Structures are given as structure tokens and as C-alpha cells.
């Protein structure tokens, strides 16, 4: 199975979009998932995943680290095509969920939670380190979601 580096490519795209957000502030409002505008801008159910809060860099860094690390592992296990399906379907489902509870959403956290969940199912005993504590992936995922869902 050929490795396509899709997780790394998504990180690169997201970081490039972040730079554009810094240069063109209106980009965030135009492509964010805004509940009241969803039916007039349905593409935002995908575009919001590539946006991050420009005033909170640690969130972007944690998200991209998780995407690069765990996304690459998952992609190697299941292949690039299935990885992309999990990433985008998870992000879209998270987007629909956020429409119900928030007026606006940005960030890749929902898509990354899908990757973490898939890894926890496929490799529940895979050892990961949370802080300085090794633990199985199935137990680590709930702890990781706290740091990945910081304000965006």
C-alpha cells in the first residue's frame, strides 16, 4: 500500500490557510461555519475545518501535532483514501453537531477526534504518552480531547 502523506498535506494546507487568515482577516468570517448562514453557504461545512482562531496559536499547534502524528499512523494502517474519508466525515459530522449548539465554528478538532477515535478502535492497546505517563490509546483518547478542544 502506497503512503500518500495526506495527514501531513492537510497540516500544510491548514497552516497555509492560517497564514492567509492573518493576512486577510475577513477570510475567517467568510469561510467559518455560521449556523444562521449554513443554507446559503453549505460549503462552510468543509471550509471551517481549515480555519483556526488567529489569537490562540497553541490550539492550532496542538491540532496540527495531533493530525500529523496520529493521522500519519492511521493513514499507514488503513490507507490514504480511507483516512481522508474518516477525516472529512468526522469533521462534517462535528460541523452538523456544532450547528445545533454554537452560532459559529472553526477548527479541525472534530475531524481530529474522528482520527483519534478510529485509532482507539483499531489499535486500542497502542501505547501513547500523555504527559509523562504511558497508556493504551483507548484510555489516552479522552485525555487528549481535553487539550485539543481548547478555545478556537
Amino acid at each position: 500500500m502506497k503512503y500518500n502523506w495526506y495527514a501531513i498535506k492537510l497540516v500544510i494546507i491548514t497552516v497555509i490557510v492560517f497564514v492567509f487568515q492573518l493576512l486577510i482577516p475577513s477570510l475567517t468570517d467568510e469561510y467559518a461555519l455560521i449556523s444562521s448562514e449554513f443554507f446559503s453557504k453549505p460549503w462552510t461545512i468543509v471550509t471551517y475545518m481549515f480555519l483556526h482562531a488567529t489569537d490562540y496559536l497553541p490550539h492550532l499547534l496542538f491540532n496540527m501535532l495531533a493530525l500529523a502524528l496520529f493521522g500519519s499512523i492511521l493513514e499507514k494502517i488503513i490507507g490514504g483514501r480511507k483516512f481522508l474519508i474518516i477525516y472529512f466525515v468526522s469533521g462534517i459530522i462535528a460541523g452538523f453537531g456544532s450547528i445545533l449548539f454554537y452560532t459559529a465554528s472553526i477548527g479541525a478538532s472534530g475531524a481530529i477526534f474522528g482520527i483519534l477515535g478510529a485509532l482507539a478502535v483499531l489499535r486500542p492497546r497502542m501505547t501513547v504518552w500523555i504527559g509523562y505517563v504511558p497508556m493504551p490509546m483507548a484510555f489516552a483518547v479522552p485525555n487528549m480531547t481535553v487539550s485539543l478542544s481548547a478555545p478556537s
Side-chain angles (χ1 to χ4, degrees), residues 9-28:
K9 290 174 184 175
L10 286 169
V11 168
I12 292 167
I13 291 167
T14 303
V15 169
I16 289 169
V17 169
F18 183 77
V19 170
F20 277 109
Q21 284 180 263
L22 293 172
L23 298 173
I24 310 166
S26 64
L27 189 76
T28 304

Side-chain angles (χ1 to χ4, degrees), residues 19-85:
V19 170
F20 277 109
Q21 284 180 263
L22 293 172
L23 298 173
I24 310 166
S26 64
L27 189 76
T28 304
D29 291 334
E30 187 62 32
Y31 292 100
L33 180 59
I34 300 170
S35 301
S36 62
E37 297 177 1
F38 172 69
F39 290 108
S40 62
K41 296 180 177 181
W43 56 85
T44 60
I45 198 74
V46 173
T47 59
Y48 89 100
M49 289 184 261
F50 294 97
L51 302 170
H52 283 79
T54 55
D55 60 345
Y56 194 66
L57 188 60
H59 181 72
L60 174 70
L61 296 176
F62 282 125
N63 268 315
M64 295 305 99
L65 177 63
L67 176 54
L69 177 63
F70 297 108
S72 294
I73 293 168
L74 181 62
E75 185 179 348
K76 287 178 183 175
I77 294 169
I78 65 173
R81 184 172 187 271
K82 290 178 183 174
F83 164 78
L84 287 174
I85 289 170

Side-chain angles (χ1 to χ4, degrees), residues 72-138:
S72 294
I73 293 168
L74 181 62
E75 185 179 348
K76 287 178 183 175
I77 294 169
I78 65 173
R81 184 172 187 271
K82 290 178 183 174
F83 164 78
L84 287 174
I85 289 170
I86 288 174
Y87 183 82
F88 283 105
V89 168
S90 297
I92 290 168
I93 290 170
F96 281 121
S98 71
I99 286 172
L100 300 175
F101 299 102
Y102 303 104
T103 56
S105 295
I106 56 174
S109 296
I112 295 168
F113 291 157
I115 289 170
L116 294 171
L119 267 178
V121 168
L122 295 173
R123 298 289 192 271
R125 296 181 195 184
M126 179 176 79
T127 302
V128 295
W129 290 77
I130 301 297
Y132 297 102
V133 180
M135 62 180 67
M137 185 70 179

